[in-house]
């Protein structure tokens, strides 16, 4: 027996909302192209009519026919910072989050906590559970000689899955954070953790007060207060212990963290909360340049 399908009202809201967003995008492009064409027409006409040598070449009555046709065909971009998935659910961002960049992508079941920040170009995607459950359902139906069903229970009835970003955690530029598409394992990043530029965290459990260095790859576990140096790799099943610095591919313990280094992990996250709020303020109508109060904040480079 197949699980119940999502409610009809859920499907209607999903598709109607997408239709309205895409219609608005198309109208915006038409208006911009029309405005640009009008300005170009005015400039060209002024140039020709003020040139005595070319004036005789132009028939004003046939001016429109001599212009390049105004075409509105174009590819439709569906990108938006927060993208719900019909089966997986939709992103949930705390009203008190520090900053979510407009060019970042939160896809599917993603939760972003208070004071957290998601920076430019970062992608956080929570859809691995759906792929895994559909594969499992397909195997069950195949064993019964029946056709697989793509119907899944409503997101609220499936328990914990997807990606969770804890309070005061920063996911820096070009990071990738996803649940595991092969096992369906969720991905969790605790509170006050710094994830450096271009790092990847896939189906992993990263604790609170950690630092994941730039360009690192994490599929295992990082305990609270652990430090992973830049460009290191933590394979599945490996645990980076609390209070330790690990580095390498595969990562190995280098040393225990000093008290000063432990305090630096906390300071790093706190400064990014401040910096995120400044960037968030810039996007408000009338916002000014980013302040200099947090200039020089590090980027989790290990």
């Amino acid at each position: 027996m197949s699980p119940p399908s999502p409610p009809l009202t859920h499907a209607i809201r999903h598709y109607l909302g997408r239709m309205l967003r895409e219609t608005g995008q198309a109208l915006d492009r038409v208006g911009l192209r029309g405005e640009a064409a009008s300005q170009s027409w005015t400039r060209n006409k002024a140039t020709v009519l003020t040139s005595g040598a070319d004036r005789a070449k132009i028939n004003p009555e046939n001016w429109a026919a001599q212009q390049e046709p105004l075409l509105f065909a174009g590819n439709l971009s569906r990108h938006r910072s927060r993208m719900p998935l019909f089966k997986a659910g939709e992103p949930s961002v705390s009203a008190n989050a520090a900053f979510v960049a407009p060019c970042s992508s939160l896809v599917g079941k993603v939760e972003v906590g208070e004071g957290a920040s998601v920076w430019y170009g970062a992608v956080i995607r929570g859809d691995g559970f759906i792929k895994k459950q559909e594969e499992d359902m397909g195997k069950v139906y195949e064993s019964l000689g029946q056709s697989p069903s793509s119907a899944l229970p409503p997101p609220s009835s499936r328990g914990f899955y997807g990606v969770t970003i804890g309070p005061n955690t920063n996911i820096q530029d070009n990071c990738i954070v996803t649940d595991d598409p092969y096992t369906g394992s969720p991905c969790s990043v605790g509170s006050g953790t710094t994830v450096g530029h271009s790092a990847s965290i896939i189906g992993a459990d990263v604790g609170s007060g950690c630092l994941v260095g730039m360009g690192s790859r994490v599929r295992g576990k990082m305990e609270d207060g652990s430090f992973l140096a830049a460009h290191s790799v933590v394979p599945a099943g490996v645990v980076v212990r609390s209070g330790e610095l690990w580095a390498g591919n595969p990562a190995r313990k280098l040393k225990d963290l000093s008290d000063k280094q432990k305090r630096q992990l906390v300071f790093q996250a706190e400064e990014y909360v401040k910096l995120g709020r400044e960037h968030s303020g810039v996007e408000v109508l009338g916002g000014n340049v980013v302040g200099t109060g947090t200039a020089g904040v590090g980027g989790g480079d290990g």
Side-chain angles (χ1 to χ4, degrees), residues 43-58 63:
R43 287 193 300 269
N44 291 340
K45 183 176 181 180
T47 300
V48 172
L49 293 182
T50 55
S51 174
D54 294 332
R55 187 178 302 160
K57 299 179 183 180
I58 299 297
W63 178 272

Side-chain angles (χ1 to χ4, degrees), residues 253-282:
K253 178 184 176 181
L254 292 185
K255 63 176 184 178
D256 292 327
L257 295 175
S258 65
D259 291 339
K260 179 179 179 180
Q261 289 173 321
K262 292 177 181 178
R263 291 193 297 270
Q264 180 65 28
L265 298 184
V266 176
F267 173 80
Q268 182 92 347
E270 291 176 346
E271 291 299 291
Y272 257 93
V273 174
K274 301 175 186 176
L275 184 61
R277 297 200 186 281
E278 290 195 9
H279 277 256
S280 181
V282 168

Side-chain angles (χ1 to χ4, degrees), residues 166-169 189-193 206-210:
N168 301 327
T169 284
V189 182
S191 61
T193 287
V206 178
S208 299
C210 299

